[in-house]
Amino acid sequence: MRCTIIDMLNKVLEHIAKKYDAVRKGVKSVMGGKVLEYEAKTIRNEGLEEGLEKGMEKGIRGTVSILKK
């Protein structure tokens, strides 16, 4: 998905900023991933964070259970 967005961006930039090399480079650096935040990326990151929290909680409970025995 990221590559598709970058490819589309490059095609648009070729037409819009033909004469402005500095603008083209600046937009590419921003849209190339440094600032670009899209819904799928946000959902993925939130899912990873939630999964890690649940995994740690489960691990802690398991450890406490073993130590109680």
Side-chain angles (χ1 to χ4, degrees):
M1 181 179 224
R2 181 174 184 258
C3 290
T4 302
I5 293 170
I6 291 171
D7 288 342
M8 290 187 314
L9 167 73
N10 288 333
K11 288 179 183 181
V12 170
L13 278 174
E14 285 175 22
H15 297 286
I16 293 176
K18 282 183 186 178
K19 299 177 186 176
Y20 307 101
D21 191 47
V23 171
R24 197 169 49 250
K25 287 179 182 177
V27 171
K28 279 186 180 184
S29 72
V30 170
M31 294 299 289
K34 292 180 183 175
V35 175
L36 183 62
E37 188 69 33
Y38 48 92
E39 187 177 8
K41 183 177 176 182
T42 303
I43 291 169
R44 177 188 170 274
N45 290 342
E46 287 174 358
L48 286 172
E49 187 175 321
E50 185 178 330
L52 285 171
E53 287 174 9
K54 286 182 179 181
M56 286 192 296
E57 185 178 312
K58 187 175 180 180
I60 290 169
R61 287 179 190 210
T63 302
V64 169
S65 175
I66 290 171
L67 291 174
K68 282 184 179 180
K69 291 179 183 179

Short mmCIF file of all heavy atoms in Angstrom, two decimals:
data_model
loop_
_atom_site.label_atom_id
_atom_site.label_comp_id
_atom_site.label_asym_id
_atom_site.label_seq_id
_atom_site.Cartn_x
_atom_site.Cartn_y
_atom_site.Cartn_z
N MET A 1 0.83 -1.18 0.00
CA MET A 1 0.00 0.00 0.00
C MET A 1 0.88 1.26 0.00
O MET A 1 0.61 2.20 -0.72
CB MET A 1 -0.93 -0.03 1.21
CG MET A 1 -1.85 1.13 1.28
SD MET A 1 -2.92 1.00 2.72
CE MET A 1 -4.45 1.45 1.99
N ARG A 2 1.90 1.23 0.81
CA ARG A 2 2.79 2.39 0.91
C ARG A 2 3.46 2.67 -0.44
O ARG A 2 3.54 3.81 -0.88
CB ARG A 2 3.83 2.14 1.99
CG ARG A 2 4.79 3.29 2.18
CD ARG A 2 5.71 3.02 3.38
NE ARG A 2 6.57 4.13 3.63
CZ ARG A 2 7.85 4.17 3.28
NH1 ARG A 2 8.41 3.14 2.69
NH2 ARG A 2 8.58 5.23 3.53
N CYS A 3 3.92 1.61 -1.09
CA CYS A 3 4.59 1.78 -2.39
C CYS A 3 3.63 2.34 -3.43
O CYS A 3 4.02 3.16 -4.26
CB CYS A 3 5.16 0.44 -2.86
SG CYS A 3 6.55 -0.11 -1.88
N THR A 4 2.39 1.91 -3.39
CA THR A 4 1.38 2.41 -4.33
C THR A 4 1.17 3.90 -4.13
O THR A 4 1.11 4.67 -5.09
CB THR A 4 0.05 1.66 -4.14
OG1 THR A 4 0.28 0.27 -4.32
CG2 THR A 4 -0.99 2.13 -5.13
N ILE A 5 1.05 4.32 -2.89
CA ILE A 5 0.86 5.74 -2.58
C ILE A 5 2.06 6.55 -3.06
O ILE A 5 1.90 7.61 -3.66
CB ILE A 5 0.61 5.95 -1.08
CG1 ILE A 5 -0.73 5.33 -0.69
CG2 ILE A 5 0.65 7.43 -0.72
CD1 ILE A 5 -0.96 5.27 0.81
N ILE A 6 3.24 6.05 -2.82
CA ILE A 6 4.46 6.77 -3.23
C ILE A 6 4.54 6.85 -4.76
O ILE A 6 4.87 7.90 -5.31
CB ILE A 6 5.71 6.11 -2.62
CG1 ILE A 6 5.72 6.34 -1.11
CG2 ILE A 6 6.99 6.68 -3.26
CD1 ILE A 6 6.79 5.56 -0.37
N ASP A 7 4.20 5.76 -5.44
CA ASP A 7 4.21 5.78 -6.91
C ASP A 7 3.21 6.79 -7.47
O ASP A 7 3.53 7.54 -8.40
CB ASP A 7 3.90 4.39 -7.47
CG ASP A 7 5.04 3.41 -7.28
OD1 ASP A 7 6.18 3.87 -7.03
OD2 ASP A 7 4.79 2.20 -7.38
N MET A 8 2.01 6.82 -6.90
CA MET A 8 1.01 7.79 -7.35
C MET A 8 1.49 9.22 -7.08
O MET A 8 1.33 10.10 -7.91
CB MET A 8 -0.33 7.53 -6.66
CG MET A 8 -1.00 6.27 -7.14
SD MET A 8 -2.68 6.00 -6.53
CE MET A 8 -2.57 6.35 -4.81
N LEU A 9 2.07 9.43 -5.93
CA LEU A 9 2.60 10.74 -5.59
C LEU A 9 3.65 11.19 -6.60
O LEU A 9 3.63 12.32 -7.06
CB LEU A 9 3.22 10.71 -4.19
CG LEU A 9 4.06 11.92 -3.82
CD1 LEU A 9 3.16 13.12 -3.57
CD2 LEU A 9 4.92 11.62 -2.63
N ASN A 10 4.55 10.28 -6.95
CA ASN A 10 5.61 10.62 -7.90
C ASN A 10 5.05 11.01 -9.26
O ASN A 10 5.53 11.95 -9.90
CB ASN A 10 6.60 9.46 -8.03
CG ASN A 10 7.47 9.31 -6.81
OD1 ASN A 10 7.71 10.28 -6.09
ND2 ASN A 10 7.93 8.11 -6.55
N LYS A 11 4.01 10.31 -9.71
CA LYS A 11 3.39 10.65 -10.99
C LYS A 11 2.74 12.03 -10.95
O LYS A 11 2.85 12.81 -11.89
CB LYS A 11 2.37 9.58 -11.37
CG LYS A 11 3.01 8.29 -11.78
CD LYS A 11 1.99 7.23 -12.14
CE LYS A 11 2.72 5.93 -12.46
NZ LYS A 11 1.79 4.88 -12.82
N VAL A 12 2.06 12.32 -9.86
CA VAL A 12 1.44 13.63 -9.71
C VAL A 12 2.52 14.72 -9.67
O VAL A 12 2.40 15.76 -10.32
CB VAL A 12 0.55 13.68 -8.45
CG1 VAL A 12 0.08 15.10 -8.16
CG2 VAL A 12 -0.64 12.75 -8.60
N LEU A 13 3.57 14.47 -8.93
CA LEU A 13 4.66 15.45 -8.82
C LEU A 13 5.33 15.72 -10.16
O LEU A 13 5.74 16.84 -10.44
CB LEU A 13 5.70 14.97 -7.82
CG LEU A 13 5.39 15.24 -6.36
CD1 LEU A 13 6.44 14.60 -5.48
CD2 LEU A 13 5.30 16.71 -6.08
N GLU A 14 5.45 14.69 -10.98
CA GLU A 14 6.07 14.88 -12.29
C GLU A 14 5.33 15.93 -13.10
O GLU A 14 5.93 16.70 -13.83
CB GLU A 14 6.07 13.56 -13.07
CG GLU A 14 7.10 12.56 -12.60
CD GLU A 14 6.98 11.23 -13.32
OE1 GLU A 14 6.41 11.19 -14.42
OE2 GLU A 14 7.44 10.22 -12.75
N HIS A 15 4.03 15.97 -12.96
CA HIS A 15 3.22 16.90 -13.73
C HIS A 15 3.07 18.26 -13.06
O HIS A 15 3.09 19.29 -13.73
CB HIS A 15 1.84 16.30 -14.00
CG HIS A 15 1.90 15.05 -14.82
ND1 HIS A 15 2.16 15.06 -16.17
CD2 HIS A 15 1.78 13.75 -14.48
CE1 HIS A 15 2.19 13.83 -16.63
NE2 HIS A 15 1.96 13.01 -15.62
N ILE A 16 2.93 18.27 -11.76
CA ILE A 16 2.68 19.53 -11.06
C ILE A 16 3.95 20.34 -10.84
O ILE A 16 3.95 21.56 -11.01
CB ILE A 16 2.00 19.26 -9.70
CG1 ILE A 16 0.60 18.70 -9.94
CG2 ILE A 16 1.91 20.52 -8.86
CD1 ILE A 16 -0.13 18.31 -8.67
N ALA A 17 5.01 19.70 -10.45
CA ALA A 17 6.23 20.42 -10.04
C ALA A 17 7.39 20.17 -11.00
O ALA A 17 8.53 20.08 -10.58
CB ALA A 17 6.60 20.02 -8.62
N LYS A 18 7.09 20.11 -12.29
CA LYS A 18 8.16 19.88 -13.28
C LYS A 18 9.30 20.88 -13.15
O LYS A 18 10.47 20.52 -13.19
CB LYS A 18 7.60 19.97 -14.70
CG LYS A 18 6.86 18.78 -15.17
CD LYS A 18 6.42 19.00 -16.60
CE LYS A 18 5.54 17.86 -17.07
NZ LYS A 18 5.07 18.08 -18.44
N LYS A 19 8.94 22.12 -12.99
CA LYS A 19 9.93 23.20 -13.01
C LYS A 19 10.54 23.48 -11.64
O LYS A 19 11.47 24.27 -11.52
CB LYS A 19 9.29 24.49 -13.52
CG LYS A 19 8.76 24.39 -14.92
CD LYS A 19 8.07 25.67 -15.31
CE LYS A 19 7.40 25.54 -16.67
NZ LYS A 19 6.65 26.75 -17.02
N TYR A 20 10.01 22.87 -10.60
CA TYR A 20 10.42 23.21 -9.24
C TYR A 20 11.05 22.00 -8.54
O TYR A 20 10.39 21.27 -7.82
CB TYR A 20 9.22 23.73 -8.45
CG TYR A 20 8.51 24.86 -9.14
CD1 TYR A 20 7.34 24.64 -9.84
CD2 TYR A 20 9.04 26.14 -9.11
CE1 TYR A 20 6.69 25.68 -10.50
CE2 TYR A 20 8.40 27.19 -9.76
CZ TYR A 20 7.23 26.95 -10.46
OH TYR A 20 6.60 27.98 -11.09
N ASP A 21 12.32 21.81 -8.77
CA ASP A 21 13.03 20.66 -8.23
C ASP A 21 13.01 20.63 -6.71
O ASP A 21 12.81 19.58 -6.10
CB ASP A 21 14.48 20.67 -8.74
CG ASP A 21 15.19 19.37 -8.46
OD1 ASP A 21 14.59 18.30 -8.73
OD2 ASP A 21 16.34 19.41 -7.97
N ALA A 22 13.18 21.78 -6.07
CA ALA A 22 13.20 21.84 -4.60
C ALA A 22 11.85 21.44 -4.02
O ALA A 22 11.77 20.72 -3.02
CB ALA A 22 13.57 23.24 -4.12
N VAL A 23 10.77 21.87 -4.67
CA VAL A 23 9.42 21.51 -4.22
C VAL A 23 9.22 20.01 -4.34
O VAL A 23 8.73 19.34 -3.43
CB VAL A 23 8.34 22.26 -5.03
CG1 VAL A 23 6.96 21.73 -4.71
CG2 VAL A 23 8.42 23.75 -4.76
N ARG A 24 9.62 19.46 -5.48
CA ARG A 24 9.48 18.02 -5.72
C ARG A 24 10.24 17.21 -4.67
O ARG A 24 9.71 16.27 -4.09
CB ARG A 24 9.96 17.71 -7.14
CG ARG A 24 9.50 16.37 -7.66
CD ARG A 24 9.76 16.17 -9.15
NE ARG A 24 11.11 16.48 -9.58
CZ ARG A 24 11.43 17.52 -10.33
NH1 ARG A 24 10.53 18.37 -10.74
NH2 ARG A 24 12.69 17.73 -10.69
N LYS A 25 11.45 17.59 -4.38
CA LYS A 25 12.25 16.88 -3.38
C LYS A 25 11.64 17.00 -1.99
O LYS A 25 11.61 16.04 -1.23
CB LYS A 25 13.69 17.40 -3.37
CG LYS A 25 14.49 16.97 -4.57
CD LYS A 25 15.90 17.53 -4.52
CE LYS A 25 16.68 17.13 -5.75
NZ LYS A 25 18.03 17.71 -5.76
N GLY A 26 11.16 18.19 -1.66
CA GLY A 26 10.55 18.40 -0.35
C GLY A 26 9.30 17.57 -0.16
O GLY A 26 9.10 16.94 0.88
N VAL A 27 8.46 17.57 -1.18
CA VAL A 27 7.22 16.78 -1.08
C VAL A 27 7.54 15.30 -1.01
O VAL A 27 6.93 14.57 -0.22
CB VAL A 27 6.29 17.09 -2.28
CG1 VAL A 27 5.11 16.14 -2.30
CG2 VAL A 27 5.81 18.53 -2.22
N LYS A 28 8.48 14.83 -1.79
CA LYS A 28 8.86 13.41 -1.75
C LYS A 28 9.37 13.01 -0.37
O LYS A 28 9.05 11.94 0.13
CB LYS A 28 9.93 13.10 -2.80
CG LYS A 28 9.39 12.91 -4.18
CD LYS A 28 10.50 12.47 -5.12
CE LYS A 28 9.97 12.26 -6.51
NZ LYS A 28 11.00 11.75 -7.42
N SER A 29 10.15 13.88 0.25
CA SER A 29 10.68 13.52 1.57
C SER A 29 9.58 13.46 2.61
O SER A 29 9.60 12.60 3.50
CB SER A 29 11.77 14.50 2.00
OG SER A 29 11.23 15.74 2.33
N VAL A 30 8.59 14.34 2.51
CA VAL A 30 7.49 14.35 3.47
C VAL A 30 6.54 13.18 3.21
O VAL A 30 6.18 12.43 4.11
CB VAL A 30 6.71 15.69 3.41
CG1 VAL A 30 5.44 15.60 4.22
CG2 VAL A 30 7.59 16.81 3.92
N MET A 31 6.15 13.00 1.96
CA MET A 31 5.16 11.98 1.63
C MET A 31 5.78 10.58 1.54
O MET A 31 5.06 9.60 1.50
CB MET A 31 4.49 12.31 0.30
CG MET A 31 3.65 13.57 0.36
SD MET A 31 2.30 13.48 1.55
CE MET A 31 1.24 12.33 0.73
N GLY A 32 7.07 10.52 1.56
CA GLY A 32 7.74 9.23 1.46
C GLY A 32 7.69 8.41 2.73
O GLY A 32 8.21 7.32 2.79
N GLY A 33 7.07 8.89 3.76
CA GLY A 33 6.93 8.11 4.96
C GLY A 33 7.30 8.83 6.24
O GLY A 33 6.97 8.38 7.32
N LYS A 34 7.98 9.94 6.14
CA LYS A 34 8.39 10.65 7.35
C LYS A 34 7.19 11.23 8.09
O LYS A 34 7.15 11.23 9.30
CB LYS A 34 9.37 11.76 7.00
CG LYS A 34 10.71 11.27 6.51
CD LYS A 34 11.63 12.41 6.20
CE LYS A 34 12.95 11.90 5.64
NZ LYS A 34 13.81 12.99 5.23
N VAL A 35 6.21 11.73 7.34
CA VAL A 35 5.05 12.36 7.95
C VAL A 35 3.77 11.64 7.59
O VAL A 35 2.79 11.70 8.32
CB VAL A 35 4.95 13.85 7.51
CG1 VAL A 35 3.69 14.49 8.03
CG2 VAL A 35 6.17 14.62 7.99
N LEU A 36 3.79 10.92 6.48
CA LEU A 36 2.58 10.28 5.97
C LEU A 36 1.98 9.32 6.98
O LEU A 36 2.62 8.38 7.42
CB LEU A 36 2.90 9.54 4.68
CG LEU A 36 1.74 8.88 3.97
CD1 LEU A 36 0.73 9.94 3.54
CD2 LEU A 36 2.21 8.10 2.77
N GLU A 37 0.77 9.59 7.37
CA GLU A 37 0.05 8.74 8.31
C GLU A 37 -1.28 8.41 7.66
O GLU A 37 -2.05 9.28 7.31
CB GLU A 37 -0.17 9.49 9.63
CG GLU A 37 -0.75 8.65 10.74
CD GLU A 37 0.22 7.61 11.26
OE1 GLU A 37 1.43 7.85 11.27
OE2 GLU A 37 -0.26 6.52 11.64
N TYR A 38 -1.55 7.16 7.47
CA TYR A 38 -2.80 6.77 6.84
C TYR A 38 -3.52 5.78 7.73
O TYR A 38 -2.95 5.20 8.65
CB TYR A 38 -2.58 6.22 5.43
CG TYR A 38 -1.48 5.19 5.32
CD1 TYR A 38 -1.76 3.84 5.43
CD2 TYR A 38 -0.16 5.57 5.10
CE1 TYR A 38 -0.76 2.89 5.34
CE2 TYR A 38 0.84 4.62 5.01
CZ TYR A 38 0.53 3.28 5.12
OH TYR A 38 1.52 2.36 5.02
N GLU A 39 -4.81 5.61 7.47
CA GLU A 39 -5.68 4.87 8.37
C GLU A 39 -5.19 3.44 8.63
O GLU A 39 -5.15 3.00 9.78
CB GLU A 39 -7.09 4.83 7.80
CG GLU A 39 -8.10 4.22 8.74
CD GLU A 39 -9.51 4.27 8.19
OE1 GLU A 39 -9.69 4.62 7.02
OE2 GLU A 39 -10.42 3.94 8.96
N ALA A 40 -4.78 2.73 7.59
CA ALA A 40 -4.34 1.35 7.78
C ALA A 40 -3.12 1.27 8.69
O ALA A 40 -3.02 0.38 9.53
CB ALA A 40 -4.03 0.71 6.42
N LYS A 41 -2.21 2.22 8.55
CA LYS A 41 -1.01 2.25 9.38
C LYS A 41 -1.39 2.52 10.84
O LYS A 41 -0.86 1.89 11.76
CB LYS A 41 -0.08 3.34 8.86
CG LYS A 41 1.24 3.45 9.57
CD LYS A 41 2.06 4.53 8.88
CE LYS A 41 3.37 4.80 9.55
NZ LYS A 41 4.12 5.88 8.89
N THR A 42 -2.32 3.44 11.04
CA THR A 42 -2.78 3.77 12.39
C THR A 42 -3.44 2.56 13.04
O THR A 42 -3.16 2.23 14.20
CB THR A 42 -3.76 4.95 12.35
OG1 THR A 42 -3.11 6.06 11.72
CG2 THR A 42 -4.21 5.35 13.74
N ILE A 43 -4.32 1.90 12.31
CA ILE A 43 -5.02 0.72 12.83
C ILE A 43 -4.02 -0.37 13.18
O ILE A 43 -4.11 -1.00 14.23
CB ILE A 43 -6.06 0.21 11.81
CG1 ILE A 43 -7.19 1.23 11.70
CG2 ILE A 43 -6.59 -1.15 12.21
CD1 ILE A 43 -8.14 0.97 10.54
N ARG A 44 -3.05 -0.60 12.32
CA ARG A 44 -2.04 -1.63 12.56
C ARG A 44 -1.25 -1.33 13.83
O ARG A 44 -1.06 -2.19 14.69
CB ARG A 44 -1.08 -1.72 11.37
CG ARG A 44 0.05 -2.70 11.57
CD ARG A 44 1.07 -2.58 10.43
NE ARG A 44 2.25 -3.32 10.71
CZ ARG A 44 3.30 -2.88 11.40
NH1 ARG A 44 3.29 -1.67 11.88
NH2 ARG A 44 4.34 -3.64 11.61
N ASN A 45 -0.79 -0.09 13.95
CA ASN A 45 0.00 0.28 15.12
C ASN A 45 -0.80 0.17 16.41
O ASN A 45 -0.29 -0.27 17.43
CB ASN A 45 0.56 1.69 14.95
CG ASN A 45 1.63 1.76 13.89
OD1 ASN A 45 2.21 0.75 13.50
ND2 ASN A 45 1.90 2.94 13.39
N GLU A 46 -2.07 0.57 16.36
CA GLU A 46 -2.92 0.46 17.55
C GLU A 46 -3.14 -1.01 17.91
O GLU A 46 -3.14 -1.38 19.09
CB GLU A 46 -4.26 1.15 17.31
CG GLU A 46 -4.15 2.66 17.31
CD GLU A 46 -5.45 3.35 16.92
OE1 GLU A 46 -6.45 2.66 16.62
OE2 GLU A 46 -5.46 4.60 16.91
N GLY A 47 -3.31 -1.86 16.89
CA GLY A 47 -3.48 -3.29 17.13
C GLY A 47 -2.25 -3.92 17.75
O GLY A 47 -2.34 -4.75 18.66
N LEU A 48 -1.08 -3.55 17.25
CA LEU A 48 0.16 -4.06 17.82
C LEU A 48 0.31 -3.65 19.28
O LEU A 48 0.69 -4.47 20.13
CB LEU A 48 1.37 -3.56 17.02
CG LEU A 48 1.60 -4.19 15.66
CD1 LEU A 48 2.70 -3.47 14.92
CD2 LEU A 48 1.93 -5.67 15.80
N GLU A 49 0.02 -2.40 19.56
CA GLU A 49 0.13 -1.90 20.93
C GLU A 49 -0.84 -2.64 21.85
O GLU A 49 -0.47 -3.07 22.95
CB GLU A 49 -0.17 -0.40 20.95
CG GLU A 49 0.08 0.24 22.30
CD GLU A 49 -0.12 1.75 22.25
OE1 GLU A 49 0.27 2.38 21.24
OE2 GLU A 49 -0.68 2.28 23.22
N GLU A 50 -2.07 -2.80 21.39
CA GLU A 50 -3.06 -3.51 22.20
C GLU A 50 -2.66 -4.97 22.42
O GLU A 50 -2.79 -5.50 23.53
CB GLU A 50 -4.43 -3.45 21.52
CG GLU A 50 -5.55 -4.05 22.32
CD GLU A 50 -6.89 -3.93 21.62
OE1 GLU A 50 -7.10 -2.96 20.85
OE2 GLU A 50 -7.73 -4.81 21.83
N GLY A 51 -2.14 -5.60 21.39
CA GLY A 51 -1.70 -6.98 21.50
C GLY A 51 -0.56 -7.15 22.49
O GLY A 51 -0.53 -8.11 23.27
N LEU A 52 0.38 -6.23 22.45
CA LEU A 52 1.50 -6.28 23.39
C LEU A 52 1.02 -6.11 24.83
O LEU A 52 1.47 -6.82 25.73
CB LEU A 52 2.52 -5.19 23.06
CG LEU A 52 3.40 -5.46 21.85
CD1 LEU A 52 4.22 -4.22 21.50
CD2 LEU A 52 4.32 -6.64 22.09
N GLU A 53 0.10 -5.17 25.03
CA GLU A 53 -0.44 -4.95 26.38
C GLU A 53 -1.14 -6.21 26.90
O GLU A 53 -0.91 -6.63 28.04
CB GLU A 53 -1.41 -3.77 26.38
CG GLU A 53 -0.73 -2.43 26.23
CD GLU A 53 -1.73 -1.29 26.08
OE1 GLU A 53 -2.94 -1.52 26.26
OE2 GLU A 53 -1.29 -0.17 25.78
N LYS A 54 -1.97 -6.81 26.06
CA LYS A 54 -2.69 -8.02 26.48
C LYS A 54 -1.73 -9.18 26.72
O LYS A 54 -1.90 -9.95 27.65
CB LYS A 54 -3.73 -8.40 25.43
CG LYS A 54 -4.93 -7.49 25.43
CD LYS A 54 -5.96 -7.93 24.42
CE LYS A 54 -7.18 -7.01 24.46
NZ LYS A 54 -8.21 -7.44 23.49
N GLY A 55 -0.70 -9.29 25.87
CA GLY A 55 0.28 -10.35 26.03
C GLY A 55 1.07 -10.21 27.32
O GLY A 55 1.30 -11.20 28.03
N MET A 56 1.46 -9.00 27.64
CA MET A 56 2.19 -8.77 28.89
C MET A 56 1.30 -9.06 30.09
O MET A 56 1.73 -9.68 31.06
CB MET A 56 2.73 -7.34 28.95
CG MET A 56 3.92 -7.13 28.03
SD MET A 56 4.82 -5.59 28.30
CE MET A 56 3.63 -4.37 27.90
N GLU A 57 0.05 -8.63 30.01
CA GLU A 57 -0.88 -8.87 31.11
C GLU A 57 -1.08 -10.37 31.32
O GLU A 57 -1.06 -10.85 32.45
CB GLU A 57 -2.22 -8.19 30.80
CG GLU A 57 -3.23 -8.29 31.93
CD GLU A 57 -4.51 -7.56 31.59
OE1 GLU A 57 -4.45 -6.40 31.13
OE2 GLU A 57 -5.58 -8.16 31.78
N LYS A 58 -1.24 -11.10 30.23
CA LYS A 58 -1.43 -12.55 30.32
C LYS A 58 -0.18 -13.21 30.90
O LYS A 58 -0.26 -14.11 31.73
CB LYS A 58 -1.73 -13.11 28.94
CG LYS A 58 -2.11 -14.56 28.93
CD LYS A 58 -2.51 -15.01 27.53
CE LYS A 58 -2.90 -16.47 27.53
NZ LYS A 58 -3.29 -16.92 26.19
N GLY A 59 1.00 -12.74 30.48
CA GLY A 59 2.24 -13.30 30.99
C GLY A 59 2.43 -13.03 32.47
O GLY A 59 2.87 -13.90 33.23
N ILE A 60 2.08 -11.85 32.90
CA ILE A 60 2.19 -11.49 34.32
C ILE A 60 1.24 -12.35 35.14
O ILE A 60 1.62 -12.89 36.19
CB ILE A 60 1.91 -9.99 34.53
CG1 ILE A 60 3.06 -9.17 33.94
CG2 ILE A 60 1.71 -9.68 36.01
CD1 ILE A 60 2.78 -7.68 33.86
N ARG A 61 0.00 -12.50 34.68
CA ARG A 61 -0.97 -13.33 35.41
C ARG A 61 -0.51 -14.78 35.49
O ARG A 61 -0.64 -15.43 36.53
CB ARG A 61 -2.34 -13.25 34.76
CG ARG A 61 -3.01 -11.93 34.98
CD ARG A 61 -4.35 -11.87 34.31
NE ARG A 61 -4.86 -10.51 34.34
CZ ARG A 61 -6.13 -10.21 34.39
NH1 ARG A 61 -7.03 -11.15 34.38
NH2 ARG A 61 -6.50 -8.95 34.43
N GLY A 62 0.05 -15.27 34.39
CA GLY A 62 0.56 -16.64 34.39
C GLY A 62 1.70 -16.83 35.37
O GLY A 62 1.77 -17.81 36.10
N THR A 63 2.60 -15.86 35.42
CA THR A 63 3.74 -15.92 36.33
C THR A 63 3.27 -15.87 37.79
O THR A 63 3.75 -16.64 38.62
CB THR A 63 4.71 -14.74 36.05
OG1 THR A 63 5.13 -14.82 34.69
CG2 THR A 63 5.91 -14.79 36.96
N VAL A 64 2.33 -14.97 38.06
CA VAL A 64 1.79 -14.87 39.43
C VAL A 64 1.12 -16.17 39.83
O VAL A 64 1.30 -16.66 40.96
CB VAL A 64 0.82 -13.67 39.53
CG1 VAL A 64 0.06 -13.71 40.83
CG2 VAL A 64 1.58 -12.36 39.38
N SER A 65 0.38 -16.76 38.91
CA SER A 65 -0.30 -18.02 39.19
C SER A 65 0.70 -19.13 39.52
O SER A 65 0.50 -19.89 40.48
CB SER A 65 -1.14 -18.42 37.98
OG SER A 65 -1.73 -19.68 38.16
N ILE A 66 1.77 -19.18 38.76
CA ILE A 66 2.80 -20.21 39.01
C ILE A 66 3.47 -19.96 40.36
O ILE A 66 3.72 -20.90 41.13
CB ILE A 66 3.84 -20.21 37.88
CG1 ILE A 66 3.21 -20.76 36.59
CG2 ILE A 66 5.08 -21.02 38.25
CD1 ILE A 66 4.08 -20.61 35.36
N LEU A 67 3.77 -18.71 40.66
CA LEU A 67 4.44 -18.39 41.92
C LEU A 67 3.54 -18.68 43.14
O LEU A 67 4.03 -19.05 44.19
CB LEU A 67 4.88 -16.93 41.93
CG LEU A 67 6.02 -16.59 40.96
CD1 LEU A 67 6.27 -15.09 40.95
CD2 LEU A 67 7.30 -17.34 41.33
N LYS A 68 2.22 -18.51 43.00
CA LYS A 68 1.30 -18.81 44.08
C LYS A 68 1.30 -20.30 44.40
O LYS A 68 1.14 -20.68 45.55
CB LYS A 68 -0.11 -18.34 43.72
CG LYS A 68 -0.32 -16.86 43.88
CD LYS A 68 -1.77 -16.50 43.60
CE LYS A 68 -2.02 -15.02 43.78
NZ LYS A 68 -3.44 -14.69 43.48
N LYS A 69 1.43 -21.11 43.35
CA LYS A 69 1.42 -22.57 43.56
C LYS A 69 2.69 -22.98 44.23
O LYS A 69 2.83 -23.81 45.03
CB LYS A 69 1.28 -23.28 42.21
CG LYS A 69 -0.06 -23.08 41.59
CD LYS A 69 -0.12 -23.79 40.25
CE LYS A 69 -1.48 -23.53 39.58
NZ LYS A 69 -1.59 -24.15 38.30
#
